[in-house]
Amino acid sequence: KAGVTQTPRYLIKTRGQQVTLSCSPISGHRSVSWYQQTPGQGLQFLFEYFSETQRNKGNFPGRFSGRQFSNSRSEMNVSTLELGDSALYLCASSKLTGGVNEQFFGPGTRLTVL
Amino acid sequence: AQKITQTQPGMFVQEKEAVTLDCTYDTSDQSYGLFWYKQPSSGEMIFLIYQGSYDEQNATEGRYSLNFQKARKSANLVISASQLGDSAMYFCAMRETNYGQNFVFGPGTRLSVLP
């Protein structure tokens, strides 16, 4: 079956702009998590959505937001972009939330902020 | 607070040899899961192996095995018969089973397989 897909794969924006990233989970998966990966900070958890509700949130400013639709697809939005937001943004899906559930990752969206 | 430590920023191994990537973790929970992921230069995270805290046997998946020592809170990944395609970043991750928790990743180990 199809894996997790993320669009776009690459994105270049300038400071102050906003960006929306999209993630389609594996069919049947209801949990979608977002991560930011940078060389300096490594992989950091942004938030998790399950059944259209945000279940967990990492330690990121309010400029980072997300939502999940009824078909489990998720979007992540970053407003007022800063240079430090340049990163690889990874989306992961799993069947359930909580517990010990394996997460399957998408290929990521590489965001460059100029 | 959760914490994952991977003390080897980089490792080299000769093709066809075995290699062990270290991972120690810190949690006060009794129920948790430990995962290893591989990230090639393409950026995608590839699931390798999983170990539950209550599993008595060490997990194995093909050439991958997890050396789980619960009392020492270590979950080392062993790759047997290394291949050139194994060159990548390897991340150890933990997820507690308490509601509201999510994956925490270690800093990763870059493995380079030499021909």
Side-chain angles (χ1 to χ4, degrees), chain A:
Chain A
K1 61 185 175 184
V4 178
T5 58
Q6 291 186 246
T7 56
R9 292 293 310 278
Y10 301 91
L11 206 49
I12 299 175
K13 292 284 188 179
T14 56
R15 277 184 302 173
Q17 287 187 310
Q18 69 138 22
V19 66
T20 299
L21 311 182
S22 179
C23 171
S24 293
I26 291 171
S27 177
H29 285 194
R30 296 168 60 191
S31 169
V32 173
S33 296
W34 288 90
Y35 296 85
Q36 181 196 65
Q37 186 177 26
T38 59
Q41 300 297 320
L43 269 157
Q44 292 185 285
F45 169 69
L46 280 156
F47 31 64
E48 178 196 10
Y49 285 88
F50 181 81
S51 294
E52 302 179 65
T53 302
Q54 187 181 88
R55 301 298 287 261
N56 303 297
K57 191 177 190 307
N59 189 26
F60 278 82
R63 300 185 297 108
F64 292 82
S65 63
R67 59 177 176 169
Q68 187 180 35
F69 302 95
S70 58
N71 61 357
S72 294
R73 189 177 71 85
S74 177
E75 287 183 347
M76 189 192 93
N77 184 276
V78 188
S79 63
T80 318
L81 284 166
E82 301 177 358
L83 295 178
D85 297 334
S86 294
L88 179 67
Y89 290 88
L90 290 163
C91 162
S93 77
S94 59
K95 285 184 179 178
L96 302 171
T97 183
V100 183
N101 294 291
E102 178 188 339
Q103 289 191 339
F104 295 87
F105 284 80
T109 294
R110 189 165 295 281
L111 171 64
T112 302
V113 182
L114 303 176

Side-chain angles (χ1 to χ4, degrees), chain B residues 41-56:
Chain B
S41 56
S42 61
E44 186 166 357
M45 299 286 281
I46 302 168
F47 166 76
L48 295 178
I49 196 167
Y50 158 78
Q51 179 86 41
S53 58
Y54 291 117
D55 294 342
E56 295 186 354

Side-chain angles (χ1 to χ4, degrees), chain B residues 35-90:
Chain B
F35 303 78
W36 277 92
Y37 285 87
K38 170 184 177 182
Q39 188 179 42
S41 56
S42 61
E44 186 166 357
M45 299 286 281
I46 302 168
F47 166 76
L48 295 178
I49 196 167
Y50 158 78
Q51 179 86 41
S53 58
Y54 291 117
D55 294 342
E56 295 186 354
Q57 303 269 7
N58 284 343
T60 60
E61 287 285 347
R63 295 186 299 111
Y64 304 107
S65 61
L66 201 152
N67 185 359
F68 182 47
Q69 298 185 48
K70 192 171 181 177
R72 296 181 59 186
K73 293 188 176 178
S74 78
N76 299 338
L77 176 70
V78 180
I79 305 174
S80 63
S82 296
Q83 301 173 356
L84 296 179
D86 293 335
S87 294
M89 282 290 287
Y90 288 81

Side-chain angles (χ1 to χ4, degrees), chain B residues 17-37:
Chain B
E17 292 186 349
V19 63
T20 298
L21 306 183
D22 294 341
C23 171
T24 57
Y25 59 92
D26 183 24
T27 179
S28 55
D29 275 20
Q30 296 301 309
S31 181
Y32 51 88
L34 297 157
F35 303 78
W36 277 92
Y37 285 87

